Amino acid sequence: MIPPRLIPVLLIDRHRRVVKTEGFGRRTYVGDPFNIIRLFNEKEVDEICVLEIDATADGSGPDTDFALALASECFMPLSYGGGIATLEQARILAAGGIEKLVLRSNATPELISVLAEDYGSQAVIGCVDYRGTAASGVSAPIAAGLDVTGASPRDVAMAMVQAGAGEIILQSIDRDGLRTGMDLEGISAVAAQLPVPIIALGGAGEADHLHDVIAKGATAAASGSAFCFIGRLRAVLVTYPEYSARQAMVTAK
């Protein structure tokens, strides 16, 4: 059986460093992104997601030169997001070898639609940041999750799917960086209502947390902490489950 998708997420700050956040706030330095990418190459990671977390707040747009340099180091499919607001930005990234474009939920339906037409819906990922639970919380897509819209995560995700997004990241702000487990019931409820794959993000600290959210209906489990930290002291250690361990998640589901 094919093992579930487990996706390391690298958060890149404005200084081109990999950091890990807590609740989208306090940051911990993790390391150099190029070194971490090379380590994940050695571990034969299925895919990886890189997010520029300051691009939207800074109004700078994606750091395309940096993004393309990272893509040249990747042996695995790379998803990239952060500040993508124009068709030209997206086309530069796609032409440079980035397989999937991650758009925040304040992206215009027109941009999502055009990108889906140009590259296929499988190349467009909508990212819905939310507070509370995915089932009953509120989305918070602006200024790194500091503002809320009042709209439900499910409704925002569905609008992105209707515009052309082929996958949805549901990212819990409240659980971000806590490493205590993911929003299982909320993810399960929304995954059952959406017609596209769901990537759960936020709260995982170990392999069991990833397994739990897959068992609840997520198509993929994504994390920064689970693949970069170990132990209660959060020592930095880049890890990734072996194929046999990931395959066991399917049989145990």
Side-chain angles (χ1 to χ4, degrees):
M1 300 181 70
I2 298 175
R5 294 164 58 201
L6 304 181
I7 306 172
V9 175
L10 302 186
L11 304 181
I12 308 295
D13 70 5
R14 60 178 57 88
H15 306 295
R16 297 183 172 182
R17 306 175 305 177
V18 177
V19 298
K20 189 65 195 77
T21 58
E22 290 186 34
F24 281 28
R26 187 171 75 87
R27 299 179 180 185
T28 300
Y29 173 71
V30 176
D32 175 76
F34 292 95
N35 288 339
I36 293 173
I37 289 282
R38 293 178 190 120
L39 288 170
F40 280 129
N41 284 339
E42 294 174 3
K43 296 182 180 300
E44 299 182 344
V45 171
D46 292 329
E47 57 185 295
I48 197 165
C49 180
V50 174
L51 301 175
E52 287 187 48
I53 59 175
D54 292 321
T56 298
D58 290 348
S60 59
D63 186 346
T64 52
D65 289 342
F66 172 75
L68 300 187
L70 276 184
S72 70
E73 293 286 342
C74 272
F75 296 166
M76 75 290 285
L78 172 64
S79 303
Y80 202 93
I84 301 173
T86 69
L87 184 58
E88 181 60 25
Q89 291 168 343
R91 284 176 171 164
I92 290 171
L93 294 171
I98 291 171
E99 278 86 351
K100 297 182 180 182
L101 303 167
V102 181
L103 303 180
R104 301 190 70 179
S105 52
N106 56 349
T108 66
E110 292 77 15
L111 178 61
I112 296 172
S113 178
V114 170
L115 292 178
E117 290 175 5
D118 285 356
Y119 303 110
S121 61
Q122 81 288 340
V124 182
I125 302 177
C127 182
V128 180
D129 306 328
Y130 65 92
R131 295 189 178 278
T133 76
S136 59
V138 291
S139 76
I142 305 168
L146 300 180
D147 302 326
V148 298
T149 66
S152 74
R154 182 265 179 197
D155 289 348
V156 174
M158 183 61 77
M160 298 189 84
V161 171
Q162 291 172 343
E167 287 187 289
I168 294 292
I169 295 174
L170 289 175
Q171 179 169 212
S172 170
I173 300 170
D174 298 335
R175 293 173 181 267
D176 172 53
L178 295 185
R179 304 176 66 215
T180 55
M182 307 184 85
D183 175 21
L184 300 181
E185 300 307 321
I187 295 292
S188 177
V190 176
Q193 300 177 60
L194 293 180
V196 300
I198 297 299
I199 302 169
L201 176 59
E206 55 190 57
D208 283 349
H209 295 154
L210 304 173
H211 166 266
D212 291 344
V213 79
I214 294 292
K216 282 292 187 177
T219 307
S223 178
S225 297
F227 303 117
C228 291
F229 292 140
I230 188 169
R232 65 180 181 83
L233 297 179
R234 296 163 64 92
V236 175
L237 178 66
V238 174
T239 62
Y240 192 75
E242 294 184 356
Y243 186 88
S244 58
R246 288 181 284 137
Q247 199 168 35
M249 292 183 181
V250 181
T251 58
K253 187 172 178 178

